[in-house]
Amino acid sequence: DQQLLWSERVGKEAHLLRVQLADLFLDNHHVNGHTTGTEALWSGVPVLTRPGEGMASRVGASLVEAAGIGGEMTVRTEEEYVALAVSLVTDFERIRRLRRRLEHGRASNRLFDTQRWVRNWERALRMAVEEAVLRKDGGSPVHVVVSELGQ
């Protein structure tokens, strides 16, 4: 039975349990699902996204890329979005494969590697402070680029 289900608002715990019942998360083009997209991916629900021009419309592509399914779940046009959505909801084996990839990658993909994120954030802050301390001439701000730390 193929259907869209609309539901009432519930608390966070019930919401997270309910999310995993979905087969597919259709991301909004103009303002992507930030937290909701992350929750869907954590729950093993594939997210289909189409990035736009603004930051709020590119988050979904970053999320699915960090979750390891970006190449398969990011499209460029509305026509590609509709075609892939229709293809996915009629191909349950493909949905199952995507779900398994998400569930198995949960412990290792960049999206949910909080310790890696914290290490890189700490490095970025140290680099910014060092740059500010070393630059006593009041020059223009510089970009801080953190290269990925080893595992």
Side-chain angles (χ1 to χ4, degrees):
D1 213 4
Q2 298 174 16
Q3 57 188 337
L4 290 176
L5 298 176
W6 302 98
S7 58
E8 298 299 318
R9 192 176 197 142
V10 295
K12 182 75 168 178
E13 189 173 315
H15 164 69
L16 292 175
L17 290 171
R18 183 172 62 189
V19 166
Q20 58 193 308
L21 300 174
D23 293 317
L24 180 64
F25 181 104
L26 298 173
D27 206 10
N28 181 309
H29 174 63
H30 297 290
V31 180
N32 294 166
H34 294 64
T35 301
T36 54
T38 303
E39 291 166 347
L41 292 165
W42 175 260
S43 298
V45 177
V47 172
L48 174 58
T49 190
R50 179 171 73 104
E53 295 299 317
M55 186 281 295
S57 68
R58 294 190 311 266
V59 172
S62 295
L63 293 175
V64 296
E65 181 64 31
I69 61 169
E72 195 168 350
M73 298 301 290
T74 303
V75 297
R76 297 289 165 213
T77 68
E78 184 175 348
E79 292 77 17
E80 291 173 336
Y81 185 91
V82 171
L84 184 53
V86 169
S87 171
L88 286 166
V89 299
T90 59
D91 187 349
F92 294 111
E93 183 52 39
R94 187 172 178 191
I95 291 283
R96 276 190 219 101
R97 283 193 310 270
L98 285 162
R99 289 183 77 98
R100 278 194 300 273
R101 282 175 49 202
L102 288 169
E103 290 162 0
H104 289 112
R106 196 180 298 144
S108 61
N109 68 41
R110 292 179 294 145
L111 182 59
F112 300 112
D113 189 345
T114 306
Q115 291 178 349
R116 173 197 261 162
W117 186 90
V118 169
R119 283 192 310 266
N120 287 334
W121 178 244
E122 288 172 342
R123 276 188 75 210
L125 291 175
R126 274 194 232 88
M127 291 167 68
V129 168
E130 288 170 5
E131 178 64 30
V133 169
L134 293 175
R135 263 187 325 107
K136 297 180 186 211
D137 64 356
S140 298
V142 297
H143 291 281
V144 174
V145 178
V146 178
S147 57
E148 190 63 40
L149 290 174
Q151 296 297 330

